[in-house]
Amino acid sequence: MTLALASPLRFPARRLAALGWATTVAGVICALVVLVAVFAPWIAPHDPNAVDPLNAFAPFSAAHPLGTDDLGRDLLSRLILGSRTSLAGPLVVIVVSGAVGTALAVSAAWIGGWFDAAVSRVLDILFAFPGLVLAITVAALFGAGFLAPVVALSLAYVPIIARVMRAAALRERSLPYVEALRVQGFSGWHICRRHLLPNLAPLLVVQAAISFGYAMIDLASISFLGLGLQPPAADWGLMIANGQPSILAGFPQQSIAAAVAVVITVVAFTVVAERMAAR
Amino acid sequence: MILEVTDLRKVFRGDFVAVDGVSFAVPVGGSLAIVGESGSGKTTCARIVAGLERATSGTIQLDGLDVKSDRRARARVVQMVFQDPYQSLDRRQTVSACLDEVLAFHTGLGRAERRSRIGELLELVGLDQRHAGVLPRQLSGGQRQRVAIARALAPSPRLLILDEAVAALDVSIQAQILNLLVDARAATGVGYLFITHDLSVVRHVCDEVIVMRRGRVVESGAVEKVLDAPTADYTKKLVGSIPRPGWVPARGGTRA
Amino acid sequence: MSARPVDGDDGAMGALLEFDHLRVEVPTPVGPRPVLRSVSLSLFAGEAVGLVGESGSGKSMTARSVLGMLPGAATIGGAVRFRGTDISTLDATGLRRLRSRDVAMVFQDPRATVNPVRTIGDFLTEVLRERGMSRSAAVAVGAGILADIGVDDVPRRLKQRPYELSGGLLQRVVIAAALAGEPALILADEPTTALDVTTQEEVVAILDEQRRQRGTALLFISHDLELATAVCDRIAVMYAGEIVEILPAKSLHEDARHPYTKALLRARPGSVPPGERLQTVPGTPQSGIEAPSGCVFADRCPVAEADCRTTVPLLVGGVACHLEVP
């Protein structure tokens, strides 16, 4: 007599395959977006900044697959070029906040005591500031553009990364292998650099990938508010904002195309990140 | 004496006295067991000797030197094997990388010499070249503990602290490791400071034993004397509570 | 007190608990593999049986199968019968009834078993209150058992919370709670492994005394042969998902015949005079998944023959070994 217990886990292979399908699609989208950004000038069919007032608000056509905007610029080309700043911004944010956050977290967890307490308090204070508000304030003070919001947002993302990394570093530090290395006489610097950091790296990658999506939305919002890149730059957030008047004129393509690009990219990166985190 | 501990005292957070006036010594190539239950302070003693904790007062002489010297010099005299074979190795590091890191740090050996030394160390602990390239997760608990012992022996220490080093292992593996410890001591002349709650494993590895309870030494002496004819009430209770043929557990552990 | 089978263990009539060729397979990347191969064992009312083995032997899974607590992905063959009823035929209500009335379980770590924010009194009376007993009556029963097992200052203990008690005391409370439901069977899975040896002695003494007084059957899971021998009537030695030998606890040392049982007995540090080498088994303990397809112990057995690798030995006369069959 044989019986099988009913359970959703009965066919784990099939479940895995199902999960893998969504992740694969998301991964392909991420790769495509990155490739498009890297090769943007070669892929774009038109000069993204070529104004052609006679051809404004052109409908979909073979020459202009997504139509043109209020100045007659090719929307597809602007979307393709816009992927560069739209990806570069969040990338800088996660690289800077990841590096600073991890350095703070690991040194706080390793040194402990008053240093850990001080770092934790500073991070708590920083955490209390909504990142977007901080970035807007900085942009207002130092002028709009690419750099100011990105630097401000990098700062705002430090506590998000650092909190997770500090907890992980504390857990890692308490493992017996770290004590074994200390008994071997290795310096704290050696242990952190050669053992702690490499073991924390997978977690950092996951955190960074999750933060990437958030940073992209935040930067798009800043551009939308007019505090990021300035026209005529092609940037997805800016394109959503600039498309607004056209919506009233009955031509929503620009805002929709840019918004769809933001949403698809964010979702794809987040799906991949969540999948990595689940491992 | 390779290790001489005198009047050791450790107070945690101002009021909890974990170790209270404990003295013991390990002769060169000798083997001393510190036996006790949880809260006895035996592990704290080991951690202080290994340099993982600082004593509140008392002196520790390793190889005749005061141990406030640098950690690297200390590590060449005293090494330690931990209880948990699953977490005492870096999960990302292969067996040979783990041993190589230690050898490069403590010896002046070149790459090729280190490789042959790794082979010797693996052989000493009953592993072979097949195990050199694998990660800890590909090894069983007993094999990991062998790697941990090889790593501890790599700097050729004069004293090895074994902190409950066989407690987490299955019975048949525990026997293998106990035999290995006897062999390694004979082969290298390393001394042992064996921390355990299990009196029955002490006979096989140790010459001398001290029994600790609540931070103090309640009895000490040669292993056969203490285990076969204990004098302190607590030692009697401890010896009596080891399951063995014909043993009948009693409430209150009253039998002597 | 108990009808004890003379030898073998098949088809015993009137057993309280019967494992009948229990086989549990779990999915692996190379297809389903057995964790339990073919476990047959009967436990009679009031009897104590020790299930002894190393990691991966399947002893815990055997105990869990009694309560229907096997991994969801597992495929189960054979049957586990409690009072003659196949537990796989029980519905949710029947299973709950089995778990709350007939069988109690004591786990290794009392701190993981007891809800940390509720009082000892709440924990102790939970099962009784569930059955509709009044609070005061349930507290009286619980307090009575605590006093029976030598816990002092019972009224204060009932108001305390788990973190205020030592591990040994908490495990005694867990045993008291198990006894309070007056089950016919207690499953104790390494109940003293997390405790100090002197506390272990106390706890197993209490478990032994109480279950004898109440006529409760006990399935005692342990890695420690000597400990199991001290509190059990019979010992079943498990290796790689198979019971390799069943024998009376009293004559374990004299009558052990299976090479694995003998090896376990010899591996204990107390088994040889000081200074002599311990006799060891080469290799590491295997699980049912890794073990060879013939005799599960063939890979590590010092006396294995060619036949051992190909043919599964049957558990006959209390031992599953080709070399022991006349």
Side-chain angles (χ1 to χ4, degrees):
Chain A
M1 183 203 72
T2 304
L3 69 123
L5 292 185
S7 157
L9 282 171
R10 206 159 127 195
F11 300 112
R14 198 175 293 178
R15 262 174 75 95
L16 252 173
L19 271 174
W21 178 81
T23 317
T24 311
V25 171
V28 168
I29 293 174
C30 291
L32 274 180
V33 172
V34 170
L35 283 177
V36 165
V38 170
F39 297 105
W42 295 278
I43 298 173
H46 299 274
D47 176 354
N49 293 324
V51 177
D52 183 4
L54 296 176
N55 206 15
F57 295 136
F60 309 132
S61 67
H64 302 287
L66 291 179
T68 61
D69 66 3
D70 51 341
L71 297 175
R73 298 175 293 193
D74 178 49
L75 276 180
L76 181 64
S77 303
R78 290 187 65 72
L79 209 57
I80 289 171
L81 258 294
S83 67
R84 295 193 131 190
T85 54
S86 301
L87 289 187
L91 188 68
V92 172
V93 170
I94 61 164
V95 167
V96 172
S97 62
V100 175
T102 306
L104 276 177
V106 170
S107 46
W110 186 265
I111 296 166
W114 67 268
F115 182 76
D116 185 24
V119 168
S120 297
R121 289 299 83 74
V122 169
L123 290 178
D124 283 346
I125 292 167
L126 212 52
F127 207 63
F129 272 98
L132 201 53
V133 174
L134 187 73
I136 290 167
T137 312
V138 169
L141 284 174
F142 296 96
F146 180 78
L147 202 59
V150 164
V151 169
L153 217 53
S154 300
L155 191 65
Y157 274 55
V158 164
I160 297 172
I161 302 269
R163 272 197 176 184
V164 176
M165 297 309 288
R166 177 178 165 272
L170 279 176
R171 205 163 48 235
E172 197 71 24
R173 200 210 146 158
S174 71
L175 292 178
Y177 84 84
V178 173
E179 291 206 320
L181 287 162
R182 283 175 64 202
V183 174
Q184 284 288 355
F186 290 112
S187 64
W189 170 245
H190 175 96
I191 298 172
C192 286
R193 195 168 54 92
R194 300 293 293 276
H195 296 274
L196 230 51
L197 281 175
N199 280 332
L200 292 171
L203 179 66
L204 176 62
V205 169
V206 169
Q207 278 304 308
I210 292 173
S211 302
F212 184 90
Y214 287 107
M216 189 160 187
I217 292 178
D218 281 351
L219 284 173
S221 309
I222 292 166
S223 292
F224 179 83
L225 293 173
L227 291 163
L229 286 161
Q230 296 300 307
D235 176 82
W236 292 348
L238 196 58
M239 282 173 74
I240 300 175
N242 289 350
Q244 267 187 312
S246 318
I247 297 175
L248 298 177
F251 298 95
Q253 298 100 310
Q254 181 175 358
S255 294
I256 289 176
V260 167
V262 170
V263 169
I264 286 179
T265 310
V266 168
V267 168
F269 270 92
T270 310
V271 166
V272 171
E274 296 283 348
R275 187 71 199 125
M276 288 194 293
R279 291 265 206 111
Chain B
M1 291 290 154
I2 189 69
L3 171 68
E4 242 178 314
V5 174
T6 315
D7 208 16
L8 190 67
R9 193 175 153 83
K10 174 72 185 179
V11 184
F12 283 108
R13 273 186 239 111
D15 56 346
F16 176 66
V17 183
V19 178
D20 192 4
V22 170
S23 301
F24 54 87
V26 182
V28 174
S31 180
L32 171 76
I34 304 182
V35 169
E37 298 186 290
S38 47
S40 63
K42 61 184 191 301
T43 293
T44 307
C45 287
R47 291 174 61 84
I48 291 171
V49 173
L52 290 169
E53 305 268 0
R54 206 167 292 188
T56 307
S57 65
T59 59
I60 298 155
Q61 290 218 317
L62 272 169
D63 205 11
L65 303 161
D66 201 9
V67 292
K68 276 159 197 127
S69 55
D70 75 311
R71 301 204 316 183
R72 189 151 141 172
R74 182 196 199 114
R76 288 174 188 174
V77 179
V78 59
Q79 281 291 327
M80 187 160 172
V81 177
F82 296 80
Q83 173 173 1
D84 183 353
Y86 291 91
Q87 298 192 314
S88 59
L89 302 172
D90 186 339
R91 58 187 177 276
R92 272 184 50 267
Q93 210 172 25
T94 62
V95 170
S96 59
C98 169
L99 297 177
D100 192 62
E101 182 184 26
V102 175
L103 288 173
F105 184 61
H106 286 295
T107 67
L109 299 177
R111 189 178 291 263
E113 293 165 307
R114 291 205 303 271
R115 182 172 300 177
S116 73
R117 179 85 179 107
I118 289 170
E120 287 168 25
L121 284 166
L122 288 176
E123 197 186 318
L124 180 65
V125 298
L127 298 174
D128 56 48
Q129 284 301 335
R130 279 174 306 163
H131 302 104
V134 305
L135 289 170
R137 66 164 177 272
Q138 294 162 278
L139 298 173
S140 68
Q143 288 171 328
R144 288 177 208 208
Q145 205 62 318
R146 289 171 191 269
V147 175
I149 292 169
R151 176 181 59 186
L153 291 174
S156 306
R158 317 264 325 264
L159 179 70
L160 193 56
I161 302 169
L162 299 139
D163 185 9
E164 298 279 12
V166 298
L169 305 173
D170 275 314
V171 183
S172 65
I173 301 307
Q174 184 176 312
Q176 293 173 1
I177 300 292
L178 289 173
N179 281 344
L180 158 64
L181 289 173
V182 172
D183 296 343
R185 188 175 151 210
T188 64
V190 66
Y192 289 153
L193 182 61
F194 197 89
I195 314 295
T196 183
H197 69 279
D198 187 348
L199 273 172
S200 56
V201 305
V202 167
R203 282 184 201 272
H204 284 271
V205 205
C206 303
D207 312 327
E208 304 269 319
V209 59
I210 66 173
V211 180
M212 285 186 68
R213 188 187 197 201
R214 292 184 190 150
R216 291 173 173 275
V217 176
V218 296
E219 186 161 3
S220 63
V223 166
E224 298 87 71
K225 185 182 138 291
V226 173
L227 295 195
D228 296 338
T231 54
D233 286 345
Y234 178 68
T235 316
K236 288 179 188 168
K237 188 175 164 186
L238 211 54
V239 172
S241 61
I242 304 170
R244 58 195 178 278
W247 179 71
V248 180
R251 259 162 75 163
T254 41
R255 289 157 304 91
Chain C
M1 184 167 62
S2 62
R4 201 163 295 155
V6 182
D7 63 11
D9 231 308
D10 318 84
M13 294 298 289
L16 176 71
L17 175 69
E18 187 191 358
F19 299 95
D20 181 4
H21 298 95
L22 177 67
R23 183 176 176 86
V24 175
E25 290 186 347
V26 294
T28 70
V30 294
R33 299 283 284 145
V35 181
L36 295 183
R37 298 206 163 189
S38 178
V39 173
S40 288
L41 174 69
S42 296
L43 198 75
F44 294 84
E47 189 191 19
V49 172
L51 214 49
V52 178
E54 298 182 283
S55 16
S57 64
K59 53 191 194 298
S60 288
M61 188 164 279
T62 303
R64 285 169 165 268
S65 71
V66 178
L67 297 177
M69 299 196 301
L70 290 174
T75 313
I76 300 162
V80 181
R81 283 188 275 274
F82 187 81
R83 289 199 176 115
T85 308
D86 185 341
I87 66 124
S88 68
T89 63
L90 293 174
D91 58 6
T93 318
L95 208 53
R96 203 157 55 232
R97 192 188 150 84
L98 176 81
R99 289 173 181 170
S100 70
R101 297 210 166 191
D102 300 320
V103 182
M105 187 138 185
V106 178
F107 293 93
Q108 176 174 341
D109 181 2
R111 298 217 184 272
T113 322
V114 184
N115 183 340
V117 299
R118 299 189 63 199
T119 64
I120 299 303
D122 286 342
F123 173 74
L124 208 51
T125 56
E126 197 168 11
V127 171
L128 298 175
R129 299 269 290 141
E130 174 86 15
R131 289 185 201 171
M133 194 183 273
S134 77
R135 183 170 175 81
S136 55
V139 168
V141 171
I145 297 172
L146 281 188
D148 276 353
I149 64 175
V151 173
D152 52 4
D153 207 357
V154 171
R156 185 168 69 94
R157 298 291 183 208
L158 290 174
K159 291 194 193 75
Q160 284 182 311
R161 287 172 205 281
Y163 65 85
E164 296 173 87
L165 272 56
S166 69
L169 192 50
L170 199 58
Q171 193 65 308
R172 283 198 269 173
V173 169
V174 171
I175 289 170
L179 293 166
E182 296 189 344
L185 169 67
I186 293 179
L187 305 170
D189 190 354
E190 303 266 7
T192 59
T193 305
L195 308 177
D196 278 329
V197 279
T198 53
T199 318
Q200 161 171 289
E201 177 174 13
E202 178 112 8
V203 168
V204 292
I206 287 164
L207 189 61
D208 189 43
E209 169 196 293
Q210 292 296 314
R211 70 135 207 109
R212 276 177 202 280
Q213 281 176 14
R214 291 156 194 267
T216 312
L218 173 69
L219 189 62
F220 187 86
I221 290 109
S222 179
H223 65 281
D224 189 336
L225 258 179
E226 305 290 358
L227 180 67
T229 304
V231 293
C232 296
D233 304 315
R234 286 189 297 150
I235 301 291
V237 179
M238 288 194 77
Y239 185 83
E242 199 73 94
I243 292 179
V244 296
E245 184 160 18
I246 305 179
L247 71 176
K250 279 194 180 61
S251 57
L252 172 78
H253 288 268
E254 299 77 44
D255 292 352
R257 285 184 290 158
H258 196 282
Y260 179 62
T261 315
K262 291 184 194 166
L264 272 188
L265 287 169
R266 278 198 298 258
R268 272 300 290 171
S271 64
V272 295
E276 266 181 43
R277 291 182 71 77
L278 292 165
Q279 294 189 36
T280 60
V281 201
T284 53
Q286 293 157 304
S287 68
I289 293 175
E290 305 151 330
S293 55
C295 170
V296 283
F297 191 56
D299 279 354
R300 301 178 68 199
C301 184
V303 293
E305 295 172 354
D307 203 23
C308 299
R309 307 197 149 270
T310 51
T311 317
V312 179
L314 297 171
L315 187 62
V316 178
V319 61
C321 179
H322 295 302
L323 305 171
E324 284 296 330
V325 177

